[in-house]
Amino acid sequence: MIKKETMLIKFVEQIALDTIEMVVENAYISKTAIPGQFLHVAVDGQTLRRPISIADINREKETITLLFKIVGSGTAKLATLKPGMSMDVLGPSGNGFQIVDKEPSTILLIGGGIGVPPLYYLGKTLAEKNKEIISILGFQTEKSVFYEEKFSSLGRTYIVTNDGSYGETGFVTDVIEKAGQFDRYYSCGPVPMLKAITAKLVDKPGMISLEERMGCGVGACMACVIPTDSNGGYKKICSDGPVFHAQEVSL
Amino acid sequence: MIKKETMLIKFVEQIALDTIEMVVENAYISKTAIPGQFLHVAVDGQTLRRPISIADINREKETITLLFKIVGSGTAKLATLKPGMSMDVLGPSGNGFQIVDKEPSTILLIGGGIGVPPLYYLGKTLAEKNKEIISILGFQTEKSVFYEEKFSSLGRTYIVTNDGSYGETGFVTDVIEKAGQFDRYYSCGPVPMLKAITAKLVDKPGMISLEERMGCGVGACMACVIPTDSNGGYKKICSDGPVFHAQEVSL
Amino acid sequence: MTNLAINLPGLELKNPIMPASGCFAFGREYSEFYDLSKLGAVIMKAATGTERFGNPTPRVAETASGMLNAIGLQNPGVEKIIEKEVPFLGQYDTSIIANVAGSTLEEYEKVAAAFNQTDQVHALELNISCPNVKEGGIQFGTDPSMAAKVTETVKNASQLPVYVKLSPNVTNIVEMAKAVELAGADGLSMINTITGMQIHLPTKKPLIANKTGGLSGPAIKPVAIRMIYEVKQHVSIPIIGMGGISNAEDVLEFLLAGASAVAVGTANFSNPFVCPEIIDALPETLNRYGFDSVEDAIGKGIM
Amino acid sequence: MTNLAINLPGLELKNPIMPASGCFAFGREYSEFYDLSKLGAVIMKAATGTERFGNPTPRVAETASGMLNAIGLQNPGVEKIIEKEVPFLGQYDTSIIANVAGSTLEEYEKVAAAFNQTDQVHALELNISCPNVKEGGIQFGTDPSMAAKVTETVKNASQLPVYVKLSPNVTNIVEMAKAVELAGADGLSMINTITGMQIHLPTKKPLIANKTGGLSGPAIKPVAIRMIYEVKQHVSIPIIGMGGISNAEDVLEFLLAGASAVAVGTANFSNPFVCPEIIDALPETLNRYGFDSVEDAIGKGIM
Ligand SMILES: Cc1cc2nc3c(=O)[nH]c(=O)nc-3n(C[C@H](O)[C@H](O)[C@H](O)COP(=O)(O)OP(=O)(O)OC[C@H]3O[C@@H](n4cnc5c(N)ncnc54)[C@H](O)[C@@H]3O)c2cc1C
Ligand SMILES: Cc1cc2nc3c(=O)[nH]c(=O)nc-3n(C[C@H](O)[C@H](O)[C@H](O)COP(=O)(O)OP(=O)(O)OC[C@H]3O[C@@H](n4cnc5c(N)ncnc54)[C@H](O)[C@@H]3O)c2cc1C
Ligand SMILES: Cc1cc2nc3c(=O)[nH]c(=O)nc-3n(C[C@H](O)[C@H](O)[C@H](O)COP(=O)(O)O)c2cc1C
Ligand SMILES: Cc1cc2nc3c(=O)[nH]c(=O)nc-3n(C[C@H](O)[C@H](O)[C@H](O)COP(=O)(O)O)c2cc1C
Ligand code: FES
Ligand code: FES
């Protein structure tokens, strides 16, 4: 259930170009959130809240890690918050990634830019369930790369940069062959990337996490819809998503 | 000349009911400001700046003291600032109190509520010029009283509260007789008080400091005008004032 | 004890606070945050004759102290609303106001008539002002004779009191208000959003897919207050006020300007508890400024 | 090198940035902060036929991301402006635009004609939209035929190019723009303030002594962008855009919507250096979004 919670900021650090890692403390969120869910974060002076994915959780310490990129006024203000200050959030919001528990399997995680964060908590959770994890993480350039070691500790990890300044050159889709066999995939990133991936991997079961501009973040305003493939209905990204089956929505 | 200056906050403390004393550091303002001038203070998230009088200056330490009452959103936000943070101000603004240097004389200072602050810097400056100072300070209630000792160190000081909870009971005008002989007066406070004082002391030379809602604070927008007694012209409180000769303006 | 109750045509409100149409869907989502029985009333999302999918996304944009929206009346259609949503809201001890929209006179008539099927709806809010409907909605809201016509049509089709929701995008709001009063409106609801646009620099295109959207939030409050103040002096039907309300002081400002009750829209998005928090704060706020009841304050700012 | 220059009727601007009328008086105050020669142009405070003292105070109120003003055209009268203020501004290497106001056709005519005496004024901005003049100003600004009439009158009286400043307080801004274009306007200036009100809770009265005031600042930017975007597609005269501009990104947004130059009003009050700071930031901002010149960007957001 979504609650309005106050989170105590424990740690803030820039970990890549314009990219902030923030660790916050909250009992309720840390106990209840699952991978793929997000927090709807209030930012002082802004009319609307900002959706930010849950990048990691430490249940013992009751902390949540957020990773966000400074792209506009809201994220810029969030980046100025300091340990000891607090943050007002709604969460945990949305439906997370469905984890198929039964069989042993190999999982491909494909993240692009600031779509990478939710995949880390997912990957960690899957690794705890003894899945084999392969990760492909795409960034624009070397300076934007983050969490390479963290993903590497979960399994084989490929870094791709658009300009070739680090790791492989090109797009995440260029590396999928290299990654080898896998049973299902999970992806989050910009829509063009998700389009290319879902087209390429049309035969594999997969789930994708989507972004859209939001009003309420709780399913009440109809701002964040996406057409579904089945005849004409809309789903709400904030409450039906942000995670969908790869072939469920029309990108 | 008015400049746009950054001031470093050194000290913030609540000194009476909803009343904040703030000491800020700035070389230019501390060197150039005279009693009666004000600062036009930017407040994060507010469209307009807030005019706050200069309550004291320490030229050696290059600090300026501001005293303000929390009455709305702007002053409430100012009150949350902490030492080490900085403040953007325009100043020193307006024309201050004219000090008649020549003869030895007795000066009556009459302040009401949050009109008290500019009189302290004035009183201190006059005391340095060996004037005799008598002060009458009016407040709503005991909890609102501030700077009694500071004024007492300048000379005889009467505190008046509307509800009689401290000092004399009533209005500042009720105490003027008690104060005895004086040569000229300076006053700052709510308009009804200034009206009563200028009517009562019509035969004495005096100066009063006025308030009005401001736009620009530099004389460009015509928001802050007051009719003058001479036929029909308007003066601007931000640039012609805030200090006027008692009989110059029509209250 | 401070009296928050207020009686309006069709509506015996225990307090003057209701969520605004389109900002609260049909209550389900916010019912997980608090008991909707706390609310004076709920204004439902617009209902049209048949299901609508609305506009393409992006549908919202943030602006300084406000937001733009162009949802485009997405709703499941009036029949489904009556079947599934009204009974849900009917569980709560609060009044229900149905927001009626359409593209043609016939559609308005059909939607209004449909609500006669249920006795759980207490009043209609006639949305002649949604700027996001292209087929004619906007004309209804900006032409006094069209506005009068749709008001009459809906009055004839419905047993319920009708509050006509006015658009602020007009030269003369008083003329609009008088036209719909004359046509039989039982009350007014004002203001709807002001048409605006934001251009997204990276794409060099209007950010909202529909190009224009409706501006709401604190940015528009001064316009709402002005229009209510003007209209109140020229009509004798009550006004439900809205536009940028986010706290109890704002509510009092609307009451003083002439509103008899208020709706809260955009503020729900930043604080889902804004309505109950306002209700809790209202008695103290009224008292602080010398009022014993909501009734007392209505129109007291008019000089 | 990025080209900020833009040529408009009567105005060869070295950059598209000018302070808006009424927010900069006649330049004296801000000339103490920076060299006015930096500005593309200066739009002077409104001139009327004779001296005006304006409205009682309070004349301004703060609102969310905006402000209300009801100065009421306080100015020393056109003759004194020509005698004392124009020569002051004339010292600077910048264009001068005179804002012409009045209560009657005759007054507009007189003011416009008076500016023929000086060759230091480069264009007139015809203020038919000041909401704070009761005697008829508002009608000029909201009725297309009245607007056309005053435009024609002023065009006949003056040798200078005339930019008509439109009021946003209308149902149909395109109709207004087309009417004044047809009547001979050389350009448009938009938008003026939106009429609003704030009620002061402690006194239970409208805070502004004039009751209503004009809303300006970032709050109204979406309305300005929308109106410019709409009008640009229906007129062929250039538009000076304004309403809530406070940085170089805002300027680009106005250019994309169809403005050829812009004016900055309210933002001067919080930051006296806002105009020169915008001018300094503009080349980089244009480049970042792929433009080499101001000219390039004009109307590029229209789809
Ligand atoms: C479910 C979800 C999860 C997300 N998780 C993350 C994350 O973990 N880390 C991260 O860096 N970013 C994440 N984003 C994107 C993030 O929400 C935006 O970058 C952020 O809202 C931008 O705010 P701003 O004020 O800096 O930008 P501005 O452009 O100033 O914002 C203006 C408005 O547009 C909205 N907006 C702008 N870009 C986006 C976007 N891409 N998606 C949705 N709304 C947008 C803002 O929320 C705001 O309402 C997520 C988005 C969604 C929908
Ligand atoms: C020359 C001058 C000197 C002043 N010196 C002091 C001082 O030393 N200490 C102090 O506590 N107060 C002083 N004031 C009053 C102070 O400016 C206001 O209390 C303050 O602006 C209120 O801001 P707010 O946001 O808290 O209130 P709000 O009511 O939220 O403010 C809304 C708007 O109204 C304006 N406003 C509200 N009250 C006043 C007022 N009394 N005078 C002018 N504008 C007002 C604000 O500046 C703002 O633009 C002075 C005023 C003037 C004109
Ligand atoms: C996302 C959104 C959707 C809206 N949908 C409707 C609607 O369906 N019908 C309607 O009459 N008004 C609709 N409105 C307008 C609001 O009911 C209200 O009149 C307006 O937003 C002003 O109030 P506010 O500033 O409190 O949001 C909508 C507003 C928003 C922000
Ligand atoms: C205090 C003030 C005074 C104004 N006086 C005038 C005026 O005399 N003539 C005029 O045409 N517009 C006047 N305006 C309107 C501005 O020129 C401008 O059109 C409007 O404020 C929108 O721009 P902004 O949001 O950048 O302020 C005034 C605005 C303000 C805030
Ligand atoms: S953001 Fe409101 S429904 Fe998704
Ligand atoms: S505040 Fe602008 S002239 Fe005084």
Side-chain angles (χ1 to χ4, degrees):
Chain A
M1 208 183 89
I2 303 176
K3 289 199 179 177
K4 185 163 178 285
E5 291 285 313
T6 300
M7 317 195 95
L8 179 66
I9 298 171
K10 305 293 285 182
F11 176 87
V12 186
E13 196 175 61
Q14 181 169 342
I15 57 165
L17 180 68
D18 292 336
T19 308
I20 307 292
E21 180 178 64
M22 184 183 269
V23 180
V24 297
E25 190 181 81
N26 180 279
Y28 176 71
I29 306 277
S30 66
K31 290 216 175 78
T32 54
I34 64 162
Q37 289 189 306
F38 67 94
L39 301 179
H40 214 197
V41 182
V43 185
D44 201 43
Q46 306 288 146
T47 316
L48 298 174
R49 290 170 177 264
R50 302 301 193 254
I52 304 287
S53 301
I54 292 171
D56 196 10
I57 283 188
N58 184 324
R59 293 204 187 219
E60 282 100 70
K61 292 193 180 156
E62 300 189 337
T63 59
I64 300 103
T65 302
L66 306 176
L67 295 170
F68 61 89
K69 190 159 175 190
I70 302 176
V71 297
S73 54
T75 46
K77 272 187 212 156
L78 282 181
T80 65
L81 296 179
K82 302 261 181 303
M85 300 174 114
S86 61
M87 217 161 75
D88 167 9
V89 309
L90 300 181
S93 300
N95 286 311
F97 293 103
Q98 286 167 22
I99 296 179
V100 183
D101 261 338
K102 298 136 213 168
E103 347 77 75
S105 54
T106 303
I107 305 291
L108 180 63
L109 305 178
I110 316 168
I114 207 62
V116 169
L119 297 182
Y120 180 65
Y121 183 36
L122 173 66
K124 227 181 72 170
T125 307
L126 288 168
E128 282 164 12
K129 296 189 191 296
N130 294 312
K131 311 282 179 188
E132 194 188 329
I133 314 281
I134 308 169
S135 304
I136 306 177
L137 310 178
F139 298 95
Q140 283 192 337
T141 185
E142 181 176 9
K143 285 193 180 137
S144 316
V145 177
F146 61 89
Y147 265 40
E148 181 183 9
E149 318 86 81
K150 296 232 179 196
F151 278 90
S152 298
S153 75
L154 302 177
R156 200 155 22 103
T157 296
Y158 300 86
I159 305 288
V160 197
T161 54
N162 299 161
D163 64 0
S165 54
Y166 191 81
E168 318 277 330
T169 303
F171 297 100
V172 290
T173 38
D174 302 332
V175 191
I176 292 184
E177 266 86 37
K178 274 203 192 163
Q181 281 305 314
F182 63 93
D183 299 300
R184 64 176 57 237
Y185 71 93
Y186 296 94
S187 185
C188 182
V191 168
M193 181 191 104
L194 295 177
K195 266 193 180 159
I197 289 168
T198 51
K200 190 161 185 145
L201 302 180
V202 65
D203 299 327
K204 293 276 189 184
M207 296 197 89
I208 55 174
S209 179
L210 300 178
E211 287 187 1
E212 187 49 80
R213 285 171 193 257
M214 295 185 177
C216 64
V218 301
C221 76
M222 316 291 150
C224 67
V225 298
I226 178 131
T228 52
D229 269 358
S230 56
N231 51 14
Y234 274 142
K235 295 253 178 182
K236 291 179 274 190
I237 289 176
C238 70
S239 52
D240 300 319
V243 177
F244 294 94
H245 287 288
Q247 310 303 336
E248 181 184 4
V249 287
S250 16
L251 293 174
Chain B
M1 208 184 87
I2 302 177
K3 289 199 179 179
K4 185 163 177 286
E5 291 285 313
T6 300
M7 318 197 93
L8 179 67
I9 298 171
K10 305 292 284 182
F11 176 88
V12 186
E13 196 175 62
Q14 180 167 344
I15 57 167
L17 180 68
D18 292 335
T19 308
I20 307 291
E21 181 178 62
M22 185 183 270
V23 180
V24 297
E25 189 182 83
N26 179 281
Y28 177 71
I29 305 278
S30 67
K31 290 214 174 79
T32 54
I34 64 162
Q37 288 189 305
F38 67 95
L39 301 179
H40 213 197
V41 182
V43 185
D44 200 43
Q46 306 287 147
T47 315
L48 299 173
R49 288 172 178 266
R50 301 300 192 257
I52 303 287
S53 300
I54 292 170
D56 197 8
I57 282 187
N58 184 322
R59 293 202 189 222
E60 282 102 69
K61 294 193 179 157
E62 300 189 337
T63 58
I64 300 103
T65 301
L66 306 177
L67 295 169
F68 61 88
K69 189 159 176 191
I70 300 175
V71 298
S73 53
T75 46
K77 272 186 212 156
L78 282 181
T80 66
L81 296 179
K82 304 259 177 307
M85 299 173 114
S86 61
M87 215 162 77
D88 167 9
V89 309
L90 300 181
S93 301
N95 287 312
F97 293 102
Q98 286 166 24
I99 296 178
V100 183
D101 263 338
K102 297 137 213 167
E103 347 76 79
S105 54
T106 302
I107 305 291
L108 181 62
L109 305 178
I110 316 169
I114 208 61
V116 169
L119 298 182
Y120 180 67
Y121 183 35
L122 173 68
K124 226 180 74 170
T125 307
L126 289 168
E128 281 163 13
K129 297 188 188 300
N130 294 315
K131 309 283 179 188
E132 193 188 331
I133 314 281
I134 308 171
S135 305
I136 306 177
L137 310 178
F139 298 94
Q140 282 191 340
T141 184
E142 182 177 11
K143 287 195 178 134
S144 317
V145 177
F146 60 89
Y147 265 38
E148 180 180 9
E149 317 86 83
K150 295 233 179 195
F151 277 91
S152 297
S153 74
L154 302 177
R156 196 153 30 101
T157 298
Y158 300 85
I159 305 289
V160 197
T161 54
N162 298 163
D163 64 1
S165 53
Y166 191 82
E168 317 276 330
T169 302
F171 297 99
V172 289
T173 37
D174 301 332
V175 190
I176 291 183
E177 265 88 37
K178 275 203 188 162
Q181 281 303 313
F182 63 94
D183 299 299
R184 62 177 57 236
Y185 71 94
Y186 297 94
S187 184
C188 183
V191 168
M193 180 191 107
L194 295 176
K195 265 193 181 161
I197 288 169
T198 51
K200 189 163 188 142
L201 303 180
V202 67
D203 299 327
K204 291 277 186 183
M207 297 196 89
I208 54 174
S209 179
L210 300 178
E211 288 185 3
E212 186 50 80
R213 284 170 194 258
M214 295 185 177
C216 65
V218 301
C221 75
M222 316 290 152
C224 66
V225 298
I226 179 134
T228 52
D229 268 358
S230 56
N231 49 13
Y234 274 142
K235 296 254 180 184
K236 291 178 276 191
I237 288 176
C238 70
S239 52
D240 299 320
V243 177
F244 295 94
H245 288 287
Q247 311 302 337
E248 181 183 3
V249 287
S250 15
L251 294 175
Chain C
M1 229 206 67
T2 314
N3 184 4
L4 298 188
I6 176 89
N7 288 335
L8 303 178
L11 303 168
E12 292 189 14
L13 307 176
K14 59 167 116 30
N15 66 60
I17 309 300
M18 47 191 113
S21 182
C23 302
F24 209 74
F26 303 98
R28 288 184 197 273
E29 294 77 13
Y30 290 98
S31 75
E32 306 213 348
F33 289 100
Y34 59 90
D35 180 0
L36 304 185
S37 299
K38 192 137 199 205
L39 299 168
V42 171
I43 311 182
M44 296 190 292
K45 172 77 187 160
T48 53
T50 51
E51 181 170 16
R52 293 219 193 173
F53 296 113
N55 291 322
T57 56
R59 291 178 169 188
V60 293
E62 189 180 68
T63 69
S65 297
M67 66 177 282
L68 294 168
N69 90 82
I71 306 298
L73 297 182
Q74 179 178 350
N75 81 97
V78 65
E79 294 301 339
K80 273 227 187 93
I81 291 173
I82 293 170
E83 187 194 328
K84 302 218 165 131
E85 306 298 346
V86 171
F88 172 78
L89 278 172
Q91 302 171 72
Y92 295 96
D93 176 25
T94 188
S95 296
I96 304 178
I97 303 176
N99 185 273
V100 172
S103 306
T104 60
L105 270 185
E106 293 67 37
E107 189 176 3
Y108 276 110
E109 188 172 15
K110 176 183 162 183
V111 175
F115 284 109
N116 291 330
Q117 296 166 51
T118 165
D119 55 7
Q120 292 187 301
V121 168
H122 304 90
L124 301 183
E125 179 178 61
L126 178 54
N127 179 1
I128 58 170
S129 49
C130 178
N132 304 323
V133 182
K134 301 242 184 62
E135 299 95 320
I138 193 66
Q139 284 86 326
F140 288 118
T142 54
D143 179 299
S145 65
M146 291 283 275
K149 203 161 194 173
V150 63
T151 305
E152 249 174 74
T153 304
V154 163
K155 275 300 288 178
N156 287 335
S158 175
Q159 307 145 358
L160 295 170
V162 174
Y163 293 77
V164 180
K165 184 157 180 179
L166 300 181
S167 167
N169 300 296
V170 297
T171 308
N172 189 336
I173 192 75
V174 171
E175 182 189 27
M176 293 297 301
K178 284 160 88 173
V180 302
E181 180 181 39
L182 206 66
D186 300 281
L188 299 170
S189 188
M190 57 194 291
I191 59 175
N192 211 317
T193 55
I194 304 181
T195 310
M197 180 187 279
Q198 183 173 101
I199 296 183
H200 189 228
L201 301 188
T203 56
K204 302 176 187 68
K205 288 194 299 198
L207 195 151
I208 300 259
N210 185 53
K211 296 182 190 170
T212 61
L215 183 63
S216 62
I220 70 169
K221 196 182 73 173
V223 180
I225 294 289
R226 183 262 293 184
M227 289 189 164
I228 292 168
Y229 186 97
E230 285 175 356
V231 164
K232 180 68 180 175
Q233 296 168 72
H234 293 95
V235 300
S236 50
I237 50 179
I239 299 170
I240 301 175
M242 67 203 69
I245 293 174
S246 53
N247 57 44
E249 280 78 19
D250 292 340
V251 173
L252 179 54
E253 192 180 352
F254 274 79
L255 296 175
L256 292 173
S260 298
V262 300
V264 180
T266 305
N268 290 287
F269 304 161
S270 56
N271 179 8
F273 294 101
V274 67
C275 289
E277 285 176 7
I278 289 176
I279 293 165
D280 288 340
L282 199 52
E284 197 275 315
T285 304
L286 287 167
N287 296 343
R288 184 154 22 105
Y289 293 103
F291 298 105
D292 282 341
S293 70
V294 163
E295 191 99 46
D296 256 12
I298 299 168
K300 285 299 185 326
I302 299 175
M303 38 180 290
Chain D
M1 227 205 69
T2 314
N3 185 3
L4 297 187
I6 176 90
N7 288 336
L8 302 179
L11 302 168
E12 292 188 10
L13 307 177
K14 58 167 121 25
N15 66 60
I17 310 299
M18 45 190 116
S21 182
C23 302
F24 210 73
F26 303 98
R28 287 182 198 275
E29 294 78 12
Y30 289 98
S31 75
E32 306 214 347
F33 289 99
Y34 60 89
D35 179 0
L36 303 187
S37 299
K38 190 131 201 210
L39 299 168
V42 171
I43 311 181
M44 296 191 293
K45 172 77 189 160
T48 53
T50 51
E51 181 170 15
R52 293 220 194 172
F53 296 115
N55 292 321
T57 57
R59 291 177 171 189
V60 293
E62 189 179 67
T63 69
S65 296
M67 66 177 282
L68 293 168
N69 90 81
I71 306 298
L73 297 181
Q74 179 178 350
N75 82 97
V78 65
E79 293 300 340
K80 274 229 184 92
I81 290 172
I82 292 169
E83 185 194 329
K84 302 221 164 131
E85 306 298 347
V86 172
F88 172 79
L89 277 172
Q91 301 172 73
Y92 296 96
D93 176 24
T94 189
S95 296
I96 304 178
I97 303 176
N99 185 275
V100 172
S103 305
T104 59
L105 269 184
E106 293 67 38
E107 188 175 4
Y108 276 111
E109 187 172 18
K110 175 183 162 187
V111 176
F115 283 111
N116 291 330
Q117 294 167 50
T118 165
D119 55 8
Q120 292 186 301
V121 169
H122 303 90
L124 301 184
E125 179 177 61
L126 178 54
N127 180 2
I128 58 169
S129 50
C130 179
N132 305 323
V133 182
K134 300 246 184 60
E135 300 94 320
I138 192 68
Q139 284 87 327
F140 288 117
T142 54
D143 179 301
S145 64
M146 292 284 275
K149 202 164 198 167
V150 64
T151 304
E152 251 174 73
T153 306
V154 164
K155 275 300 287 177
N156 288 336
S158 174
Q159 309 145 356
L160 294 172
V162 175
Y163 293 76
V164 180
K165 184 157 182 180
L166 300 181
S167 166
N169 300 296
V170 296
T171 307
N172 189 338
I173 192 76
V174 171
E175 181 190 28
M176 294 297 300
K178 284 160 89 173
V180 302
E181 181 182 38
L182 205 68
D186 299 282
L188 299 170
S189 190
M190 57 194 290
I191 60 174
N192 211 318
T193 54
I194 305 180
T195 310
M197 179 186 280
Q198 184 172 101
I199 295 182
H200 190 228
L201 301 188
T203 56
K204 303 176 187 68
K205 287 194 302 199
L207 194 151
I208 300 260
N210 185 52
K211 295 183 191 169
T212 62
L215 183 63
S216 63
I220 70 168
K221 197 182 72 172
V223 179
I225 294 290
R226 184 261 294 185
M227 289 189 163
I228 291 168
Y229 186 97
E230 285 176 354
V231 164
K232 179 67 180 174
Q233 298 168 70
H234 293 94
V235 301
S236 51
I237 50 178
I239 299 170
I240 302 175
M242 66 204 69
I245 292 174
S246 53
N247 57 45
E249 279 77 21
D250 292 341
V251 173
L252 179 54
E253 193 180 352
F254 274 79
L255 296 175
L256 292 173
S260 298
V262 299
V264 181
T266 305
N268 290 288
F269 303 161
S270 55
N271 179 9
F273 294 102
V274 67
C275 289
E277 285 177 8
I278 289 176
I279 293 164
D280 289 341
L282 199 51
E284 198 274 316
T285 304
L286 287 167
N287 297 343
R288 185 155 20 108
Y289 294 103
F291 298 105
D292 282 340
S293 70
V294 164
E295 192 99 45
D296 258 12
I298 299 168
K300 286 300 184 326
I302 299 177
M303 39 180 291

